[in-house]
Amino acid sequence: MTSNIILIGFMGTGKSAVSAELASLSGWSAVDTDVQIVQQQGQSIPELFAEQGEAYFRKCETDVLAQVLAKEQQIIATGGGAVLAAKNRQLMLDNGFVVCLFANPETIVERVSHHKDRPLLAGDARKKVVNLLEERGGAYDFAHIKIDTTKLTVKEIAEKIWQAWEQRL
Ligand code: S3P
C-alpha cells in the first residue's frame, strides 16, 4: 500500500476539516479532489453540474483521483460521490489507506445547511440527504476503517486515523 491516506464519506461527514488537521499532524500535504477539479476546470462545482452535467463532473473526478494518487504522502479528501465508480474504488484501494468518515443524518443536515455549494442538496437539503444516504447504501463500506464523526472533535478524529495508519497491517 502506498503512503496516502484517503478520506471518503458522505457530504458533511468532516472530510475537509479532518484532512487539514491530519496534514498538520502528519506533515503530509492535504489535497482535496474537489478543489483540484475546480482549479483544472476553471468553474465552481455548481457551475460544472449546471453547465457540463454530473456525468462530466464524475469523469473529472476519476481523472483527478488518478493524477493525485500517482503521488505519495498525502492526505486526500474526496468528494462524497467519488466512491460510486468501481474504477475509483479500485484506484483508492490500490494507492492508499482508505478511511470512511460517517455521521448520523441529523448531524449531516446540520453541517451541510451552512453551505450552498452542493448541487445535489439544492432545495430541501434534509430530504435530499435522507434520499441520497439511502440510495448510496453501503457504497462507503470498502474502506479499511470507518469512524463515526458525530461526537468527536476534528482533532480526535485526526488522531484516531493517524494511530490506525501507524498500526495498519
Ligand atoms: C458530492 C459531494 C461533494 C462534491 C459534489 C458531489 C456527492 O463533495 O464532490 O457536490 O456526490 O456526494 P463533499 O463530499 O466534499 O461535499
Side-chain angles (χ1 to χ4, degrees), residues 76-97:
I76 303 163
T78 61
V83 299
L84 300 176
K87 181 176 177 189
N88 295 358
R89 295 194 296 271
Q90 197 56 53
L91 265 171
M92 294 190 233
L93 287 171
D94 287 347
N95 294 288
F97 184 58

Side-chain angles (χ1 to χ4, degrees), residues 9-12 15-16 34 45 49 54 57-58 61 78-82 84 117-120 132 136 140:
F10 197 80
M11 295 171 266
K15 294 168 298 204
S16 301
D34 280 347
I45 291 182
F49 269 71
E54 181 172 348
F57 173 80
R58 297 298 174 203
E61 197 166 44
T78 61
L84 300 176
D117 55 354
R118 293 182 170 104
L120 295 180
L132 263 183
R136 292 190 178 170
Y140 302 96

Side-chain angles (χ1 to χ4, degrees), residues 11-98:
M11 295 171 266
T13 51
K15 294 168 298 204
S16 301
V18 170
S19 139
E21 182 73 26
L22 196 47
S24 77
L25 185 71
S26 60
W28 294 3
S29 41
V31 181
D32 186 309
T33 57
D34 280 347
V35 171
Q36 298 286 319
I37 294 170
V38 169
Q39 280 175 358
Q40 291 183 14
Q41 297 297 316
Q43 283 189 304
S44 70
I45 291 182
E47 281 168 352
L48 279 168
F49 269 71
E51 292 172 28
Q52 324 287 341
E54 181 172 348
Y56 180 80
F57 173 80
R58 297 298 174 203
K59 190 193 163 295
C60 297
E61 197 166 44
T62 300
D63 291 347
V64 160
L65 210 46
Q67 287 162 23
V68 168
L69 287 171
K71 290 170 256 163
E72 301 208 19
Q73 298 213 323
Q74 308 165 100
I75 310 296
I76 303 163
T78 61
V83 299
L84 300 176
K87 181 176 177 189
N88 295 358
R89 295 194 296 271
Q90 197 56 53
L91 265 171
M92 294 190 233
L93 287 171
D94 287 347
N95 294 288
F97 184 58
V98 184

